[in-house]
């Protein structure tokens, strides 16, 4: 059997991690023959809850799970990591200004980036989930200068899955029959769900999304708004943020990094923008369509972008520039 890989989940006592850990430990993400050592990090007051999570993982009696380590110490959690899933972040509270939220998260992700730089393998794959995910990812990457920038990504796969699902429901097909939707930009309400390159398999034939849906007004209006606002709609209904669907998206994202994307298909993830061909400003973590092979992503080049799409892509980039500059000013203090 292969050597165990060391996988860290931060915010490990939280609700997303609770939905995530079983899938990782069971082999749904890194493969059915890949042993796992799970490292679970949370803040000190959450350690008693984390003890209960560890008990449950033990009680699952999973053959691939070789060890579980729970800790509140970064030097323990980040040691020799192969994969880091950074879920934990400071949530926005009522009355909290955006700059205050960014300031709190800059401190967290600067510290965790430094821990990655100091303790993790230089080949570590880092997925940032905690919001604001794009900017938190950028801060972590900047705080880990010895680890390649392309090893960092942030989660926009949940938005991607939401977009696929909305199209599938509209066309009365399984979600697996929808491919090549794109989430451009920020994991926020300025993101742009783009279906101009999307295909829908109907009756055995791949049709362009606009042809399959036959409702341009919906695709350019309510569809976009629904995907952009879906997180808020879940909170309004559940009184809690997305957990099950976020955990599923994390699994999808990491499985594609580990195993690669299918030929002719691309998925969405937030990656370093430098060198892209779409005019997105450099030095951002921005969601692009990517293809993955041998654990390395590549932005899909040469897709035609119309004016409708470009204006929305630019609006999300402008928000990310504002977030980045605010975060970096905090970092410099």
């Amino acid at each position: 059997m292969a050597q165990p890989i060391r996988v860290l989940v931060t915010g490990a006592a939280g609700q997303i991690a609770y939905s995530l850990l079983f899938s990782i430990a069971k082999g749904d993400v890194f493969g059915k023959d890949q042993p796992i050592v799970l490292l679970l990090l949370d803040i000190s007051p959450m350690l008693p809850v984390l003890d209960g999570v560890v008990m449950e993982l033990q009680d699952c009696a999973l053959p691939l799970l070789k060890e579980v380590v729970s800790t509140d110490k970064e030097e323990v959690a980040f040691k020799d990591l192969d994969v880091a899933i950074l879920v934990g972040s400071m949530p926005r509270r009522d009355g909290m200004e955006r700059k205050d939220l960014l300031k709190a998260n800059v401190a967290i992700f600067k510290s965790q980036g430094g821990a990655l730089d100091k303790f993790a393998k230089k080949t570590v794959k880092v997925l940032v989930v905690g919001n604001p995910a794009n900017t938190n990812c950028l801060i972590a990457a900047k705080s880990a200068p010895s680890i390649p920038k392309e090893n960092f990504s942030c989660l926009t796969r949940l938005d991607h899955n939401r977009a696929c699902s909305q199209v599938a429901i509209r066309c009365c097909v399984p979600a697996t029959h929808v491919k090549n939707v794109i989430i451009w930009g920020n994991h926020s309400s300025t993101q742009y769900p783009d279906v101009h390159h999307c295909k829908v398999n109907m009756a055995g034939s791949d049709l362009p999304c606009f042809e399959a849906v036959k409702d341009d007004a919906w695709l350019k209006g309510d569809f976009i708004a629904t995907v952009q606002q879906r997180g808020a709609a879940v909170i309004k209904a559940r009184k809690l943020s997305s957990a099950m669907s976020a955990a599923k998206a994390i699994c999808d994202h990491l499985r594609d990094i580990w195993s690669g994307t299918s030929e002719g298909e691309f998925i969405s993830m937030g990656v370093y923008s430098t060198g892209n061909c779409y005019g997105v400003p450099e030095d951002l973590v921005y969601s692009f369509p990517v293809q993955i092979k041998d654990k390395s992503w590549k932005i899909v080049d040469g897709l035609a972008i119309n004016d409708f799409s470009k204006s929305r892509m630019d609006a999300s980039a402008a928000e990310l520039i504002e977030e980045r500059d605010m975060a970096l000013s905090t970092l410099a203090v």
Side-chain angles (χ1 to χ4, degrees), residues 40-209:
L40 309 181
L41 178 70
D42 217 312
I43 56 176
S44 303
M46 296 305 293
L47 288 181
V49 177
L50 204 48
D51 287 342
V53 174
V54 172
M55 286 184 232
E56 285 211 69
L57 283 166
Q58 292 167 341
D59 294 349
C60 288
L62 296 163
L64 293 174
L65 186 59
K66 297 306 175 188
E67 188 181 359
V68 185
V69 178
S70 63
T71 184
D72 58 356
K73 295 178 173 58
E74 287 183 343
E75 63 270 24
V76 175
F78 285 83
K79 186 168 175 55
D80 296 332
L81 288 182
D82 295 286
V83 179
I85 309 167
L86 307 184
V87 179
S89 64
M90 172 71 77
R92 190 166 188 167
R93 299 199 173 102
D94 281 348
M96 184 183 270
E97 294 286 334
R98 192 148 142 259
K99 67 176 184 293
D100 296 325
L101 178 69
L102 275 168
K103 186 175 182 180
N105 280 296
V106 163
I108 293 168
F109 286 88
K110 178 185 179 184
S111 177
Q112 292 187 352
L116 284 163
D117 201 56
K118 190 172 182 182
F119 301 113
K121 294 177 181 176
K122 301 311 174 192
T123 53
V124 65
K125 299 297 185 184
V126 183
L127 169 58
V128 176
V129 178
N131 287 317
N134 298 59
T135 300
N136 288 344
C137 184
L138 185 69
I139 295 301
K142 285 180 176 292
S143 304
S146 70
I147 296 172
K149 293 284 190 291
E150 56 266 25
N151 288 24
F152 289 81
S153 58
C154 83
L155 189 75
T156 56
R157 185 58 172 269
L158 178 51
D159 309 301
H160 180 102
N161 288 351
R162 286 165 170 164
C164 285
S165 177
Q166 289 298 311
V167 170
I169 291 166
R170 195 78 174 187
C171 294
C172 300
V173 298
T176 51
H177 285 209
V178 180
K179 66 182 181 183
N180 296 356
V181 302
I182 303 168
I183 303 297
W184 298 100
N186 199 1
H187 175 62
S188 76
S189 60
T190 70
Q191 66 174 258
Y192 170 47
D194 178 5
V195 291
H196 287 90
H197 307 279
C198 168
K199 303 282 194 213
V200 183
N201 189 285
M202 299 184 75
S205 298
D206 280 348
L207 300 179
C209 185

